[in-house]
Structures are given as structure tokens and as C-alpha cells.
């Protein structure tokens, strides 16, 4: 009887855990779908807050930390004047927690590079100090998975926006931009929650790149 009771408890617990995972994944999927439909800063902030609530409820699920940090980071580029800085502040603990949970993951390394770029965007004076850090994380992300297009995108962005005097500029960025384009053309996510953002940012970079000096 005791063995049966123990088995029943194990089965119930396993079932509840599986149900909990399904619930947060479904909720996350829904929030990401909503964010992909809009460029409205307020909607992005609301979505980031909702995903952040999931991250608080499931602190060891790296994807929730990742997507909360990503949503705040991404929305900082859409922020009205004066809001970019506090939005990157909100992203910081989630970006760092995702990296702590998955230190060798190409996506968490890429997100750190992206967040550092967002910090520079919020305050251009940080470029000299944070630009090399962003590029370093991009290089680590490429080393972790050379098929990740977002890693090349982040590297291309930081090189392109670095003054030629400090080793950046259009000419230096050109081969990385081309590499990023090839990687985006080849990339196919394994599932709906695998990070697959960045193509629209790449297209914007391409247009800016073609029109740059």
C-alpha cells in the first residue's frame, strides 16, 4: 500500500510539473506573438512585465529570464525620449540571470551583447567602454555556435557604429554584415520558443549600410 501511495505521489507530482511547464510555455508563446505584431513602446513594456512575472514564478527557467531581458532591451530602442535608460535598467537583472543560468549558450551571450549595445544607445558616451565588451560577447556567441545569425548581427552593428579611428566603420563591418545575411537565410528555429528574432533589425542595418559612407 505504501509503495502504491508513493508511486501515486510521484505520478501526480510529475504531472503537475509537466502541466506547469506547459502553462508558462503557452503564456510565453502568446506574449511573444503579441509583441511581434506591434512597435508600440507601451505594449512592449506591458509584455515584458508579464513575461517577467513568469520569470519570477519560474526563476530557474532560463528562457523566461532571457525573453524578459530581451523584451526590455528590444523595447529600449523604441522608447520615447528619456525612457531608454530606465528600460535598459529593467532589462539588466534578467539578461544577467539568463547568462548565469546558461553561461555558454550562444543566445544568452548574444543577448548580453545586445543589451550592452542598448546601453550605448541610451547614452552614447558609453561607446568607448562598452563597445569592445559588446563585440567580445558577440565573438563568444559565434564561438559557441557559428550558425547563430544574431551573434553576427550584434558584431556587425557594433563594428559599423564604431568610428574608423577605433577599428570600426563600414569597410570593417562589410564582411560581418554579409555573414549575418547568409546566416539569417539559412537559420531555421527548432521550435516556436527558440530565439529567432533579429531579421528585421538586419534588414534595417542593410539599408543603413547601403546608404552609409
Amino acid at each position: 500500500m505504501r509503495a502504491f501511495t508513493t508511486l501515486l505521489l510521484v505520478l501526480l507530482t510529475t504531472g503537475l510539473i509537466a502541466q506547469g511547464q506547459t502553462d508558462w510555455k503557452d503564456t510565453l508563446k502568446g506574449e511573444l506573438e503579441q509583441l511581434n505584431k506591434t512597435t508600440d513602446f507601451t505594449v512592449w513594456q506591458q509584455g515584458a512585465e508579464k513575461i517577467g512575472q513568469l520569470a519570477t514564478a519560474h526563476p530557474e527557467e532560463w528562457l523566461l529570464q532571457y525573453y524578459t531581458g530581451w523584451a526590455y532591451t528590444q523595447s529600449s530602442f523604441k522608447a520615447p525620449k528619456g525612457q531608454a535608460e530606465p528600460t535598459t535598467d529593467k532589462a539588466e537583472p534578467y539578461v544577467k540571470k539568463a547568462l548565469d543560468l546558461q553561461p555558454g549558450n550562444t543566445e544568452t551571450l548574444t543577448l548580453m551583447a545586445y543589451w550592452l549595445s542598448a546601453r550605448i544607445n541610451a547614452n552614447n558616451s558609453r561607446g568607448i567602454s562598452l563597445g569592445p565588451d559588446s563585440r567580445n560577447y558577440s565573438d563568444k556567441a559565434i564561438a559557441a555556435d557559428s550558425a547563430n545569425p544574431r551573434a553576427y548581427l550584434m558584431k556587425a552593428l557594433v563594428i559599423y557604429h564604431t568610428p574608423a579611428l577605433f577599428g570600426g566603420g563600414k569597410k570593417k563591418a562589410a564582411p560581418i554584415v554579409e555573414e549575418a545575411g547568409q546566416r539569417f537565410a539559412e537559420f531555421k528555429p527548432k521550435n516556436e520558443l527558440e530565439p529567432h528574432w533579429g531579421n528585421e533589425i538586419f534588414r534595417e542595418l542593410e539599408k543603413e549600410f547601403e546608404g552609409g559612407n
Side-chain angles (χ1 to χ4, degrees):
M1 185 66 181
R2 178 178 293 179
F4 174 77
T5 302
T6 301
L7 177 59
L8 183 59
L9 286 172
V10 169
L11 291 173
L12 286 172
T13 302
T14 303
L16 288 171
I17 291 172
Q19 180 64 42
Q21 290 178 338
T22 301
D23 288 346
W24 74 253
K25 287 181 178 180
D26 287 343
T27 304
L28 175 60
K29 178 184 171 185
E31 290 301 326
L32 295 177
E33 288 174 351
Q34 291 302 312
L35 293 180
N36 286 330
K37 294 176 183 177
T38 184
T39 59
D40 185 90
F41 174 72
T42 301
V43 175
W44 271 83
Q45 289 285 286
Q46 292 170 347
E49 288 174 8
K50 290 177 183 177
I51 300 171
Q53 291 171 0
L54 291 175
T56 299
H58 305 277
E60 298 308 311
E61 296 291 352
W62 76 271
L63 263 180
L64 292 173
Q65 306 297 326
Y66 172 92
Y67 274 119
T68 306
W70 168 79
Y72 279 125
T73 298
Q74 182 96 319
S75 65
S76 74
F77 290 95
K78 313 174 194 298
K81 187 175 181 179
Q83 291 300 307
E85 178 86 5
T87 301
T88 61
D89 289 341
K90 290 178 182 178
E92 183 173 4
Y94 298 102
V95 173
K96 292 183 175 180
K97 179 68 179 295
L99 188 60
D100 285 343
L101 292 171
Q102 293 281 323
N105 188 313
T106 183
E107 297 296 352
T108 58
L109 290 163
T110 297
L111 180 59
M112 177 58 81
Y114 191 27
W115 176 73
L116 289 167
S117 292
R119 294 289 286 172
I120 296 170
N121 181 66
N123 185 339
N124 291 335
S125 67
R126 296 187 177 114
I128 294 176
S129 60
L130 297 187
D133 289 343
S134 179
R135 182 171 176 175
N136 184 43
Y137 276 106
S138 297
D139 285 333
K140 289 181 179 180
I142 291 170
D145 183 359
S146 61
N148 181 2
R150 285 159 296 285
Y152 290 94
L153 173 61
M154 292 304 112
K155 184 173 181 177
L157 282 167
V158 74
I159 294 175
Y160 180 53
H161 291 294
T162 296
L165 181 64
F166 297 103
K170 182 176 181 179
K171 187 176 180 180
K172 289 279 189 181
I176 313 301
V177 173
E178 183 178 353
E179 194 79 44
Q182 292 175 355
R183 292 295 186 270
F184 273 113
E186 297 166 356
F187 181 76
K188 290 182 175 59
K190 298 181 180 69
N191 57 65
E192 293 173 310
L193 290 182
E194 182 181 15
H196 55 275
W197 57 274
N199 194 57
E200 289 184 5
I201 300 172
F202 172 73
R203 296 302 172 199
E204 291 175 6
L205 172 62
E206 236 184 357
K207 290 177 183 177
E208 185 180 342
F209 191 83
E210 289 168 359
N213 295 323

